[in-house]
Amino acid sequence: MSDGTPADLFFDAAIGLLQRVRDEEAEAIAAAGTLLADTVDAGGRLFAFGAGHSSLAAQDVVYRAGGLALMNLLAAPGLVGVDVMPATLGSRLERVDGLATAVLDTSPLRAGDALVIISLSGRNALPVEMAISARDRGARVIGVTSVAYATETTSRHASGTYLKDHCDVVLDSKIAVGDAELTLDTIPAPFAPASTVVTSALLQAVLATTAATLADRGTEPPLLRSGNVDGGHEWNARVFEQYHDRIFYQH
């Protein structure tokens, strides 16, 4: 690790990754934003899914001030963050065959919807099976992953494939295998993960594109306002009423 405080170096690493995804993923971000706008215009519903820490980025775009009201969290017990005890069980569940299909079987996802699947490695059975199963149902899939894992690790899905192989659009977070940006001679393991920062930024860039695309087409984007701003609750109530059949976190 070069000169500079660990905090400075982490910020430098995160900023560098953000610059890379801004420059190198611009076409994919535009395609993902357009896909979501197309789904909204066609009456489809929007869902986001991530397991473990990948769920943090999914939760960040659901019921969020300044965000699209139509984005719903696709969740299952033991897969949302580290809410399960012991936390290590969540890692094991990601490798269980058939779990993703069970989640989709009991979800509102249907043909014409769009599903964002977030998985840093994209190698476990859960995200791969979920992408395959969602597309079999007629949904379109956006994958947010680190493509590097496909060349530096072995798939844990029976097909030998990765999340990136079963998506309509792939957003590459550029995160190095292991998700730790810093090293120090006095510390035996790499540290300071940046995947949450970069993945959340990627998704917000996609949703900003979606909102602008809808507006360009003459459709008012179904955006939420902060409840801590005067008139925010009234604004949101109008959006909820207009799109009640496509919002599931209220039901």
Side-chain angles (χ1 to χ4, degrees):
M1 195 163 70
S2 59
D3 293 338
T5 68
D8 288 341
L9 293 170
F10 176 76
F11 281 123
D12 288 343
I15 290 168
L17 285 164
L18 290 171
Q19 289 174 329
R20 281 192 66 195
V21 297
R22 179 193 63 187
D23 297 339
E24 298 174 21
E25 296 301 296
E27 185 175 340
I29 290 169
T34 300
L35 186 156
L36 294 182
D38 290 345
T39 303
V40 172
D41 272 340
R45 294 88 60 81
L46 311 180
F47 297 88
F49 174 84
H53 286 92
S54 289
S55 181
L56 297 176
Q59 294 176 61
D60 188 54
V61 296
V62 176
Y63 187 48
R64 182 65 190 264
L68 286 178
L70 304 191
M71 186 62 74
N72 299 279
L73 184 67
L74 190 63
L79 299 176
V80 181
V82 289
D83 65 324
V84 64
M85 291 295 290
T88 50
L89 175 59
S91 298
R92 300 293 293 271
L93 290 174
E94 292 184 56
R95 305 180 190 184
V96 175
D97 292 330
L99 180 56
T101 298
V103 170
L104 291 179
D105 283 345
T106 54
S107 81
L109 186 88
R110 66 187 185 192
D113 293 345
L115 172 61
V116 179
I117 301 176
I118 305 156
S119 174
L120 178 60
S121 73
R123 69 185 296 214
N124 287 314
L126 182 66
V128 176
E129 180 187 330
M130 183 159 286
I132 294 171
S133 188
R135 293 178 93 188
D136 285 345
R137 287 165 164 75
R140 301 185 74 187
V141 173
I142 297 170
V144 189
T145 188
S146 172
V147 172
Y149 277 83
T151 57
E152 299 182 37
T153 68
T154 302
S155 170
R156 291 180 175 138
H157 188 261
S159 67
T161 60
Y162 297 77
L163 170 61
K164 73 174 186 64
D165 300 316
H166 305 283
C167 300
D168 296 279
V169 179
V170 176
L171 298 169
D172 183 4
S173 64
K174 316 293 182 182
I175 300 294
V177 173
D179 192 16
E181 294 301 319
L182 304 183
T183 58
L184 196 62
D185 291 342
T186 55
I187 299 178
F191 59 104
S195 61
T196 304
V197 173
V198 176
T199 301
S200 292
L202 265 172
L203 287 179
Q204 293 298 347
V206 168
L207 294 182
T209 302
T210 301
T213 301
L214 289 170
D216 286 345
R217 296 174 178 176
T219 300
E220 180 185 329
L223 297 171
L224 295 174
R225 289 189 172 182
S226 172
N228 296 313
V229 173
D230 290 343
H233 289 302
E234 291 76 13
W235 173 281
N236 293 342
R238 176 181 64 83
V239 175
F240 292 151
E241 175 61 27
Q242 182 177 353
Y243 292 97
H244 67 92
D245 59 333
R246 291 195 258 175
I247 295 173
F248 299 97
Y249 49 81
Q250 283 197 308
H251 302 162

